[in-house]
Amino acid sequence: MTPQDLGRDAVAAMAAVADAVHVARAVEREAAIGALVKDDASPVTIADFSVQALVAARLSRDCPNDPLVAEEDASALRAPDEARLSARVVDFVQRVEPDARLDRVLDWIDRGGGAPGRRFWTLDPIDGTKGLLRGGQYVIALALIVDGTVELGVVGCPRLTLDTMPGRAAPFSAAERAAGGIAVGVRHQGSWWASSDDGLLVRLSVSTVADPGRARVLHSVEGTHSDAARCDRVLRTLGVDPPPLLMDSQAKHVVLASGQADLLLRLPQSRGFHDTIWDQAAGSLLIAEAGGRVTDVHGRALDFSAGRRLLRNDGLVASNGLLHDAVLAALGAVSS
Ligand code: AMP
Ligand code: MG
């Protein structure tokens, strides 16, 4: 299997995400993370802006008619007192996009304000910005949505290796253990991992753990992103033994898709909170195409046709499939 076998959109998306991983690594290496705080109190960095500019530039070239729905906008960079920050962003984008200039970079970033239509792309340029800042996991998550369904998901993982995935048992080769890689899922064509050094595609499949007592559970690091106390009650009801593994970003989805964990829970802290589509689109397809199951806490399929947020879903339950019904039953039995 090669990226070409996965189709034109997959080739374009993987190439853009591969360069985005390169840019994010350069930002890290040069300790140029440079965070701002957004109106909602969440951080945004040079890496977020640079990656969004780059991926938007590539999509506008490769898929000019497709809208892009992405997390960031350039308003902060257009402020005169952020001239140094915007110059750094242009510098990083130029590493992989030589004709980048300030006006173009700002326009590329603002391409992310597109409207979700019948066919569109969604991007979280840096999913897990807090993980990036504290040395944890972060990913670049890009997905193609057609008629409310995710058709393609690409997750660039600068800090994840198959070798360091928790509880890993599969005999991966030395080449596959190189730092970082890209996970790609294509509807009806499976989920795959391309390591950074040789780019060969290795098939991802979920685990076969059917005993809830042995389930390896993934949960957010950030306490405000998912209700850890409720998660604990659900896991006690299920008789889960190992403590949850805390990890930032859709790196969790990749780990679940690879069979190195069995269950991922995301339980909203407040009624009425709905995830943004770019926080679940790419990762959910990876899990489904690796043989797993993804629903919200009520057992409903994720519906990506409700705008920039998953307004018709509450939280997330993702599993290897075998554990899913037991988890939904435990969630129903445990009050929120
Ligand atoms: P994670 O690392 O899995 O906790 O998820 C990171 C994502 O959580 C970020 O991309 C944010 O979009 C999203 N996020 C930010 N605030 C919240 C919140 N209050 N509840 C749930 N998710 C959030
Ligand atoms: Mg995010």
PDB file of all heavy atoms in Angstrom, residues 122 140-145 150 152-155 183-185 191 250 253 277-288 304:
ATOM      1  N   THR A 122     -11.630  20.269   7.274  1.00  0.00           N
ATOM      2  CA  THR A 122     -11.535  20.879   8.598  1.00  0.00           C
ATOM      3  C   THR A 122     -10.162  20.589   9.185  1.00  0.00           C
ATOM      4  O   THR A 122      -9.614  19.501   8.995  1.00  0.00           O
ATOM      5  CB  THR A 122     -12.702  20.435   9.515  1.00  0.00           C
ATOM      6  OG1 THR A 122     -12.666  21.237  10.700  1.00  0.00           O
ATOM      7  CG2 THR A 122     -12.642  18.966   9.863  1.00  0.00           C
ATOM      8  N   ILE A 140      -1.370  17.468  14.358  1.00  0.00           N
ATOM      9  CA  ILE A 140      -1.966  18.289  13.309  1.00  0.00           C
ATOM     10  C   ILE A 140      -3.084  17.436  12.715  1.00  0.00           C
ATOM     11  O   ILE A 140      -2.823  16.316  12.258  1.00  0.00           O
ATOM     12  CB  ILE A 140      -0.897  18.627  12.254  1.00  0.00           C
ATOM     13  CG1 ILE A 140       0.135  19.563  12.898  1.00  0.00           C
ATOM     14  CG2 ILE A 140      -1.515  19.236  11.011  1.00  0.00           C
ATOM     15  CD1 ILE A 140       1.545  19.231  12.566  1.00  0.00           C
ATOM     16  N   ALA A 141      -4.318  17.930  12.783  1.00  0.00           N
ATOM     17  CA  ALA A 141      -5.461  17.081  12.410  1.00  0.00           C
ATOM     18  C   ALA A 141      -6.220  17.707  11.246  1.00  0.00           C
ATOM     19  O   ALA A 141      -6.770  18.804  11.367  1.00  0.00           O
ATOM     20  CB  ALA A 141      -6.390  16.907  13.606  1.00  0.00           C
ATOM     21  N   LEU A 142      -6.260  16.981  10.131  1.00  0.00           N
ATOM     22  CA  LEU A 142      -6.908  17.471   8.910  1.00  0.00           C
ATOM     23  C   LEU A 142      -7.893  16.406   8.424  1.00  0.00           C
ATOM     24  O   LEU A 142      -7.550  15.220   8.380  1.00  0.00           O
ATOM     25  CB  LEU A 142      -5.833  17.717   7.833  1.00  0.00           C
ATOM     26  CG  LEU A 142      -6.314  18.156   6.453  1.00  0.00           C
ATOM     27  CD1 LEU A 142      -7.001  19.518   6.503  1.00  0.00           C
ATOM     28  CD2 LEU A 142      -5.136  18.200   5.470  1.00  0.00           C
ATOM     29  N   ALA A 143      -9.107  16.837   8.094  1.00  0.00           N
ATOM     30  CA  ALA A 143     -10.110  15.870   7.628  1.00  0.00           C
ATOM     31  C   ALA A 143     -10.910  16.451   6.483  1.00  0.00           C
ATOM     32  O   ALA A 143     -11.101  17.665   6.386  1.00  0.00           O
ATOM     33  CB  ALA A 143     -11.050  15.490   8.769  1.00  0.00           C
ATOM     34  N   LEU A 144     -11.390  15.550   5.631  1.00  0.00           N
ATOM     35  CA  LEU A 144     -12.284  15.922   4.530  1.00  0.00           C
ATOM     36  C   LEU A 144     -13.673  15.390   4.864  1.00  0.00           C
ATOM     37  O   LEU A 144     -13.829  14.188   5.135  1.00  0.00           O
ATOM     38  CB  LEU A 144     -11.781  15.297   3.220  1.00  0.00           C
ATOM     39  CG  LEU A 144     -12.691  15.466   2.001  1.00  0.00           C
ATOM     40  CD1 LEU A 144     -12.835  16.932   1.593  1.00  0.00           C
ATOM     41  CD2 LEU A 144     -12.151  14.641   0.823  1.00  0.00           C
ATOM     42  N   ILE A 145     -14.647  16.290   4.854  1.00  0.00           N
ATOM     43  CA  ILE A 145     -16.026  15.911   5.198  1.00  0.00           C
ATOM     44  C   ILE A 145     -16.899  16.088   3.963  1.00  0.00           C
ATOM     45  O   ILE A 145     -16.848  17.136   3.301  1.00  0.00           O
ATOM     46  CB  ILE A 145     -16.531  16.771   6.374  1.00  0.00           C
ATOM     47  CG1 ILE A 145     -15.699  16.439   7.620  1.00  0.00           C
ATOM     48  CG2 ILE A 145     -18.018  16.543   6.629  1.00  0.00           C
ATOM     49  CD1 ILE A 145     -16.019  17.252   8.838  1.00  0.00           C
ATOM     50  N   VAL A 150     -17.126  11.915   7.555  1.00  0.00           N
ATOM     51  CA  VAL A 150     -15.684  12.079   7.343  1.00  0.00           C
ATOM     52  C   VAL A 150     -15.226  11.034   6.323  1.00  0.00           C
ATOM     53  O   VAL A 150     -15.421   9.836   6.520  1.00  0.00           O
ATOM     54  CB  VAL A 150     -14.901  11.908   8.668  1.00  0.00           C
ATOM     55  CG1 VAL A 150     -13.436  12.273   8.452  1.00  0.00           C
ATOM     56  CG2 VAL A 150     -15.499  12.760   9.779  1.00  0.00           C
ATOM     57  N   LEU A 152     -11.967  11.263   4.853  1.00  0.00           N
ATOM     58  CA  LEU A 152     -10.504  11.144   4.931  1.00  0.00           C
ATOM     59  C   LEU A 152     -10.044  11.855   6.199  1.00  0.00           C
ATOM     60  O   LEU A 152     -10.522  12.949   6.494  1.00  0.00           O
ATOM     61  CB  LEU A 152      -9.899  11.832   3.691  1.00  0.00           C
ATOM     62  CG  LEU A 152      -8.410  12.160   3.699  1.00  0.00           C
ATOM     63  CD1 LEU A 152      -7.589  10.870   3.670  1.00  0.00           C
ATOM     64  CD2 LEU A 152      -8.065  13.010   2.467  1.00  0.00           C
ATOM     65  N   GLY A 153      -9.145  11.223   6.942  1.00  0.00           N
ATOM     66  CA  GLY A 153      -8.596  11.870   8.132  1.00  0.00           C
ATOM     67  C   GLY A 153      -7.085  11.678   8.145  1.00  0.00           C
ATOM     68  O   GLY A 153      -6.590  10.561   7.937  1.00  0.00           O
ATOM     69  N   VAL A 154      -6.357  12.762   8.363  1.00  0.00           N
ATOM     70  CA  VAL A 154      -4.895  12.688   8.423  1.00  0.00           C
ATOM     71  C   VAL A 154      -4.454  13.346   9.722  1.00  0.00           C
ATOM     72  O   VAL A 154      -4.834  14.486  10.006  1.00  0.00           O
ATOM     73  CB  VAL A 154      -4.249  13.391   7.212  1.00  0.00           C
ATOM     74  CG1 VAL A 154      -2.731  13.310   7.296  1.00  0.00           C
ATOM     75  CG2 VAL A 154      -4.733  12.777   5.911  1.00  0.00           C
ATOM     76  N   VAL A 155      -3.686  12.613  10.521  1.00  0.00           N
ATOM     77  CA  VAL A 155      -3.241  13.136  11.814  1.00  0.00           C
ATOM     78  C   VAL A 155      -1.710  13.061  11.852  1.00  0.00           C
ATOM     79  O   VAL A 155      -1.128  11.976  11.901  1.00  0.00           O
ATOM     80  CB  VAL A 155      -3.867  12.337  12.982  1.00  0.00           C
ATOM     81  CG1 VAL A 155      -3.358  12.857  14.322  1.00  0.00           C
ATOM     82  CG2 VAL A 155      -5.393  12.444  12.955  1.00  0.00           C
ATOM     83  N   ALA A 183      -0.732   9.411  10.685  1.00  0.00           N
ATOM     84  CA  ALA A 183      -1.788   8.408  10.570  1.00  0.00           C
ATOM     85  C   ALA A 183      -2.790   8.899   9.536  1.00  0.00           C
ATOM     86  O   ALA A 183      -3.137  10.090   9.516  1.00  0.00           O
ATOM     87  CB  ALA A 183      -2.464   8.206  11.919  1.00  0.00           C
ATOM     88  N   VAL A 184      -3.229   7.981   8.684  1.00  0.00           N
ATOM     89  CA  VAL A 184      -4.214   8.357   7.653  1.00  0.00           C
ATOM     90  C   VAL A 184      -5.323   7.308   7.627  1.00  0.00           C
ATOM     91  O   VAL A 184      -5.054   6.108   7.659  1.00  0.00           O
ATOM     92  CB  VAL A 184      -3.552   8.517   6.252  1.00  0.00           C
ATOM     93  CG1 VAL A 184      -2.752   7.288   5.861  1.00  0.00           C
ATOM     94  CG2 VAL A 184      -4.578   8.860   5.185  1.00  0.00           C
ATOM     95  N   GLY A 185      -6.551   7.786   7.610  1.00  0.00           N
ATOM     96  CA  GLY A 185      -7.699   6.891   7.479  1.00  0.00           C
ATOM     97  C   GLY A 185      -8.513   7.320   6.273  1.00  0.00           C
ATOM     98  O   GLY A 185      -8.749   8.514   6.066  1.00  0.00           O
ATOM     99  N   SER A 191      -7.101   2.243   7.999  1.00  0.00           N
ATOM    100  CA  SER A 191      -6.259   3.254   8.638  1.00  0.00           C
ATOM    101  C   SER A 191      -4.818   2.790   8.579  1.00  0.00           C
ATOM    102  O   SER A 191      -4.539   1.597   8.730  1.00  0.00           O
ATOM    103  CB  SER A 191      -6.673   3.458  10.101  1.00  0.00           C
ATOM    104  OG  SER A 191      -7.876   4.157  10.163  1.00  0.00           O
ATOM    105  N   GLN A 250      -5.591  14.441  19.658  1.00  0.00           N
ATOM    106  CA  GLN A 250      -6.013  13.231  18.938  1.00  0.00           C
ATOM    107  C   GLN A 250      -4.875  12.219  18.793  1.00  0.00           C
ATOM    108  O   GLN A 250      -5.045  11.193  18.121  1.00  0.00           O
ATOM    109  CB  GLN A 250      -6.608  13.597  17.573  1.00  0.00           C
ATOM    110  CG  GLN A 250      -7.993  14.221  17.698  1.00  0.00           C
ATOM    111  CD  GLN A 250      -8.452  14.921  16.444  1.00  0.00           C
ATOM    112  OE1 GLN A 250      -8.907  14.260  15.489  1.00  0.00           O
ATOM    113  NE2 GLN A 250      -8.360  16.248  16.408  1.00  0.00           N
ATOM    114  N   HIS A 253      -6.515   9.181  19.779  1.00  0.00           N
ATOM    115  CA  HIS A 253      -7.250   8.441  18.753  1.00  0.00           C
ATOM    116  C   HIS A 253      -6.299   7.528  17.971  1.00  0.00           C
ATOM    117  O   HIS A 253      -6.655   6.408  17.597  1.00  0.00           O
ATOM    118  CB  HIS A 253      -7.951   9.408  17.802  1.00  0.00           C
ATOM    119  CG  HIS A 253      -8.939  10.343  18.486  1.00  0.00           C
ATOM    120  ND1 HIS A 253      -8.585  11.207  19.482  1.00  0.00           N
ATOM    121  CD2 HIS A 253     -10.268  10.527  18.289  1.00  0.00           C
ATOM    122  CE1 HIS A 253      -9.656  11.902  19.872  1.00  0.00           C
ATOM    123  NE2 HIS A 253     -10.686  11.500  19.167  1.00  0.00           N
ATOM    124  N   ILE A 277     -15.667  20.526  15.353  1.00  0.00           N
ATOM    125  CA  ILE A 277     -15.557  19.364  14.454  1.00  0.00           C
ATOM    126  C   ILE A 277     -14.114  18.942  14.254  1.00  0.00           C
ATOM    127  O   ILE A 277     -13.822  17.751  14.120  1.00  0.00           O
ATOM    128  CB  ILE A 277     -16.266  19.618  13.099  1.00  0.00           C
ATOM    129  CG1 ILE A 277     -15.789  20.914  12.459  1.00  0.00           C
ATOM    130  CG2 ILE A 277     -17.773  19.611  13.264  1.00  0.00           C
ATOM    131  CD1 ILE A 277     -16.361  21.145  11.043  1.00  0.00           C
ATOM    132  N   TRP A 278     -13.166  19.928  14.265  1.00  0.00           N
ATOM    133  CA  TRP A 278     -11.770  19.575  13.992  1.00  0.00           C
ATOM    134  C   TRP A 278     -11.126  18.819  15.157  1.00  0.00           C
ATOM    135  O   TRP A 278     -10.057  18.268  14.998  1.00  0.00           O
ATOM    136  CB  TRP A 278     -10.957  20.819  13.634  1.00  0.00           C
ATOM    137  CG  TRP A 278     -11.102  21.949  14.609  1.00  0.00           C
ATOM    138  CD1 TRP A 278     -10.498  22.044  15.827  1.00  0.00           C
ATOM    139  CD2 TRP A 278     -11.914  23.120  14.464  1.00  0.00           C
ATOM    140  NE1 TRP A 278     -10.880  23.200  16.446  1.00  0.00           N
ATOM    141  CE2 TRP A 278     -11.752  23.896  15.626  1.00  0.00           C
ATOM    142  CE3 TRP A 278     -12.768  23.599  13.451  1.00  0.00           C
ATOM    143  CZ2 TRP A 278     -12.399  25.116  15.827  1.00  0.00           C
ATOM    144  CZ3 TRP A 278     -13.399  24.807  13.646  1.00  0.00           C
ATOM    145  CH2 TRP A 278     -13.219  25.557  14.815  1.00  0.00           C
ATOM    146  N   ASP A 279     -11.796  18.802  16.318  1.00  0.00           N
ATOM    147  CA  ASP A 279     -11.252  18.041  17.444  1.00  0.00           C
ATOM    148  C   ASP A 279     -11.572  16.549  17.357  1.00  0.00           C
ATOM    149  O   ASP A 279     -11.035  15.761  18.149  1.00  0.00           O
ATOM    150  CB  ASP A 279     -11.798  18.587  18.773  1.00  0.00           C
ATOM    151  CG  ASP A 279     -11.008  19.807  19.234  1.00  0.00           C
ATOM    152  OD1 ASP A 279      -9.786  19.839  18.996  1.00  0.00           O
ATOM    153  OD2 ASP A 279     -11.612  20.714  19.820  1.00  0.00           O
ATOM    154  N   GLN A 280     -12.494  16.160  16.465  1.00  0.00           N
ATOM    155  CA  GLN A 280     -12.889  14.746  16.394  1.00  0.00           C
ATOM    156  C   GLN A 280     -12.893  14.160  14.990  1.00  0.00           C
ATOM    157  O   GLN A 280     -12.885  12.939  14.849  1.00  0.00           O
ATOM    158  CB  GLN A 280     -14.304  14.555  16.996  1.00  0.00           C
ATOM    159  CG  GLN A 280     -14.441  14.980  18.446  1.00  0.00           C
ATOM    160  CD  GLN A 280     -13.483  14.239  19.385  1.00  0.00           C
ATOM    161  OE1 GLN A 280     -13.008  13.140  19.063  1.00  0.00           O
ATOM    162  NE2 GLN A 280     -13.177  14.824  20.531  1.00  0.00           N
ATOM    163  N   ALA A 281     -12.925  14.999  13.949  1.00  0.00           N
ATOM    164  CA  ALA A 281     -13.179  14.458  12.603  1.00  0.00           C
ATOM    165  C   ALA A 281     -12.115  13.449  12.174  1.00  0.00           C
ATOM    166  O   ALA A 281     -12.412  12.270  11.919  1.00  0.00           O
ATOM    167  CB  ALA A 281     -13.279  15.602  11.600  1.00  0.00           C
ATOM    168  N   ALA A 282     -10.871  13.894  12.105  1.00  0.00           N
ATOM    169  CA  ALA A 282      -9.820  13.002  11.588  1.00  0.00           C
ATOM    170  C   ALA A 282      -9.655  11.790  12.500  1.00  0.00           C
ATOM    171  O   ALA A 282      -9.611  10.643  12.037  1.00  0.00           O
ATOM    172  CB  ALA A 282      -8.505  13.772  11.467  1.00  0.00           C
ATOM    173  N   GLY A 283      -9.585  12.027  13.800  1.00  0.00           N
ATOM    174  CA  GLY A 283      -9.340  10.932  14.745  1.00  0.00           C
ATOM    175  C   GLY A 283     -10.452   9.902  14.762  1.00  0.00           C
ATOM    176  O   GLY A 283     -10.202   8.698  14.889  1.00  0.00           O
ATOM    177  N   SER A 284     -11.697  10.352  14.624  1.00  0.00           N
ATOM    178  CA  SER A 284     -12.808   9.391  14.693  1.00  0.00           C
ATOM    179  C   SER A 284     -12.789   8.453  13.493  1.00  0.00           C
ATOM    180  O   SER A 284     -13.081   7.253  13.630  1.00  0.00           O
ATOM    181  CB  SER A 284     -14.152  10.116  14.817  1.00  0.00           C
ATOM    182  OG  SER A 284     -14.383  10.926  13.688  1.00  0.00           O
ATOM    183  N   LEU A 285     -12.427   8.962  12.307  1.00  0.00           N
ATOM    184  CA  LEU A 285     -12.362   8.072  11.138  1.00  0.00           C
ATOM    185  C   LEU A 285     -11.214   7.067  11.282  1.00  0.00           C
ATOM    186  O   LEU A 285     -11.351   5.888  10.926  1.00  0.00           O
ATOM    187  CB  LEU A 285     -12.200   8.874   9.844  1.00  0.00           C
ATOM    188  CG  LEU A 285     -12.141   8.006   8.579  1.00  0.00           C
ATOM    189  CD1 LEU A 285     -13.445   7.226   8.388  1.00  0.00           C
ATOM    190  CD2 LEU A 285     -11.839   8.829   7.339  1.00  0.00           C
ATOM    191  N   LEU A 286     -10.090   7.532  11.851  1.00  0.00           N
ATOM    192  CA  LEU A 286      -8.966   6.607  12.060  1.00  0.00           C
ATOM    193  C   LEU A 286      -9.404   5.403  12.889  1.00  0.00           C
ATOM    194  O   LEU A 286      -9.048   4.256  12.605  1.00  0.00           O
ATOM    195  CB  LEU A 286      -7.833   7.304  12.824  1.00  0.00           C
ATOM    196  CG  LEU A 286      -6.966   8.278  12.072  1.00  0.00           C
ATOM    197  CD1 LEU A 286      -5.941   8.865  13.028  1.00  0.00           C
ATOM    198  CD2 LEU A 286      -6.269   7.583  10.916  1.00  0.00           C
ATOM    199  N   ILE A 287     -10.159   5.683  13.964  1.00  0.00           N
ATOM    200  CA  ILE A 287     -10.599   4.603  14.858  1.00  0.00           C
ATOM    201  C   ILE A 287     -11.601   3.691  14.135  1.00  0.00           C
ATOM    202  O   ILE A 287     -11.483   2.462  14.182  1.00  0.00           O
ATOM    203  CB  ILE A 287     -11.206   5.195  16.145  1.00  0.00           C
ATOM    204  CG1 ILE A 287     -10.127   5.921  16.943  1.00  0.00           C
ATOM    205  CG2 ILE A 287     -11.866   4.097  16.982  1.00  0.00           C
ATOM    206  CD1 ILE A 287     -10.668   6.816  18.061  1.00  0.00           C
ATOM    207  N   ALA A 288     -12.560   4.301  13.454  1.00  0.00           N
ATOM    208  CA  ALA A 288     -13.575   3.495  12.766  1.00  0.00           C
ATOM    209  C   ALA A 288     -12.930   2.611  11.696  1.00  0.00           C
ATOM    210  O   ALA A 288     -13.243   1.416  11.581  1.00  0.00           O
ATOM    211  CB  ALA A 288     -14.629   4.411  12.135  1.00  0.00           C
ATOM    212  N   PHE A 304     -21.393  15.294  11.556  1.00  0.00           N
ATOM    213  CA  PHE A 304     -20.537  16.421  11.175  1.00  0.00           C
ATOM    214  C   PHE A 304     -21.256  17.409  10.256  1.00  0.00           C
ATOM    215  O   PHE A 304     -20.614  18.199   9.579  1.00  0.00           O
ATOM    216  CB  PHE A 304     -19.258  15.903  10.516  1.00  0.00           C
ATOM    217  CG  PHE A 304     -18.333  15.232  11.509  1.00  0.00           C
ATOM    218  CD1 PHE A 304     -18.408  13.869  11.743  1.00  0.00           C
ATOM    219  CD2 PHE A 304     -17.421  15.979  12.231  1.00  0.00           C
ATOM    220  CE1 PHE A 304     -17.564  13.255  12.673  1.00  0.00           C
ATOM    221  CE2 PHE A 304     -16.583  15.386  13.156  1.00  0.00           C
ATOM    222  CZ  PHE A 304     -16.657  14.022  13.379  1.00  0.00           C
TER     223      PHE A 304
END
